[in-house]
Amino acid sequence: MNEKLVAFFQAHSEPNKSCFYALRNQLLKTGLGETIKYGMPCYTYLGKPLCYLWKDKNSQQPYILFVDGLLLTHPSLQQGSRAKMKILLVDPNKDINIVTIQSVIKEALEIRN
């Protein structure tokens, strides 16, 4: 992991830090590439951004931001005021719903194929 990625994860306090690491682990398990763009961890598929990790500015809750969100239909995704992207909010104080995360990633990858 490059030093900018390490700095991103280390900059957060618990429970967000552990939550971000768990989300990272799930994203990497799917074979996505990892880099940093715009100061955020970026996960790529075939060299193009698929999703990012970030946190809500009000609640500070971690989320996965999906680039092709407009095309995704999973009911757990939220669009808010975003034009094209959708997010999957994750409560760092609860168990992460791995099935939901895997389902959304699978749908995002199917759109890219």
Side-chain angles (χ1 to χ4, degrees):
M1 184 176 356
N2 79 33
E3 62 187 61
K4 288 185 180 182
L5 281 166
V6 171
F8 171 85
F9 290 103
Q10 294 300 319
H12 294 92
S13 58
E14 294 296 348
N16 282 4
K17 181 190 284 190
S18 294
C19 184
F20 278 128
Y21 274 121
L23 294 173
R24 175 184 185 264
N25 186 43
Q26 287 302 309
L27 293 166
L28 293 177
K29 277 184 181 180
T30 64
L32 297 177
E34 181 180 49
T35 188
I36 195 150
K37 288 189 177 206
Y38 314 112
M40 300 180 279
C42 175
Y43 297 88
T44 60
Y45 178 67
L46 300 177
K48 294 184 178 182
L50 183 77
C51 59
Y52 295 85
L53 291 180
W54 199 241
K55 64 181 178 181
D56 183 78
K57 65 180 170 182
N58 295 321
S59 70
Q60 299 300 302
Q61 236 179 326
Y63 62 76
I64 304 173
L65 174 85
F66 288 90
V67 174
D68 296 324
L70 191 60
L71 303 173
L72 300 174
T73 60
H74 197 282
S76 296
L77 294 172
Q78 302 173 14
Q79 187 162 7
S81 62
R82 296 168 191 84
K84 295 182 180 181
M85 300 182 184
K86 288 184 183 176
I87 65 168
L88 178 65
L89 275 172
V90 180
D91 186 339
N93 296 304
K94 295 183 179 177
D95 287 343
I96 294 174
N97 188 333
I98 302 300
V99 173
T100 298
I101 291 170
Q102 290 173 344
S103 175
V104 177
I105 293 169
K106 181 181 177 194
E107 184 182 355
L109 289 172
E110 287 172 355
I111 286 171
R112 290 286 178 95
N113 286 326

